[in-house]
Structure formats: structure tokens, C-alpha cells
Amino acid sequence: MVSTKRQVLKDAVMAASIEPFLDHRILFCCGHFHSDYHLGIPYQLKKNHPRLKVAVIAMASAVEELTMKDRSSVADFIWVEE
């Protein structure tokens, strides 16, 4: 439980660091743990700014083991490299 609270706090701080720039398009890079399933940073941003449009991009390597249905839940876009 303590580590969960720490993670939520860390995501909230990272989201807060983005807030001054919300009047621009932003590409914010973070580890997948901070954005998968629109949790973490995207959740914090939407909680504080409900009308904000947020898109999550996942690396193909992070979702390749998942079913196609599950992949679509993880992110809005999948980045594929060859």
C-alpha cells in the first residue's frame, strides 16, 4: 500500500510539472508504468483538467505479449519500429 501511495504521488508530481504547458501540444515521454491504460500521469492530468485531450502511445515491445483487445486498452497508439 505504501508503494502505491508513493507511485500516485510521483505521477501527480509529474503531471503537475506538465500543467504550465497545457496551452501547447505536448509530447511527454515516460515509462509505460506511468501511462498504461490511461492511469498514472494521464489520470492525474484528466482529474485536474477534465476537458484536456490526452493520447497515450505505447511501444510495440511493451504490448507484444498482449492480445489485440488488451493492446487497444493499454494505449491509443502503438509505436512500431523495424
Side-chain angles (χ1 to χ4, degrees):
M1 182 74 159
V2 173
S3 63
T4 303
K5 288 181 181 180
R6 288 181 188 149
Q7 189 62 48
V8 170
L9 178 60
K10 188 173 185 179
D11 290 334
V13 169
M14 287 191 281
S17 73
I18 299 169
E19 288 181 343
F21 308 100
L22 292 181
D23 58 340
H24 296 81
R25 287 188 180 197
I26 303 168
L27 174 62
F28 182 78
C29 299
C30 63
H32 70 93
F33 187 74
H34 299 285
S35 60
D36 282 358
Y37 300 97
H38 287 262
L39 298 174
I41 297 166
Y43 172 80
Q44 293 292 332
L45 287 170
K46 293 292 281 185
K47 182 174 80 168
N48 296 329
H49 307 277
R51 294 184 175 177
L52 185 66
K53 294 181 182 179
V54 176
V56 174
I57 304 169
M59 298 297 291
S61 59
V63 298
E64 64 190 3
E65 300 295 323
L66 300 175
T67 66
M68 202 55 83
K69 180 181 177 189
D70 290 335
R71 289 179 193 182
S72 65
S73 299
V74 171
D76 300 300
F77 302 95
I78 308 293
W79 183 287
V80 179
E81 275 189 51
E82 290 188 28

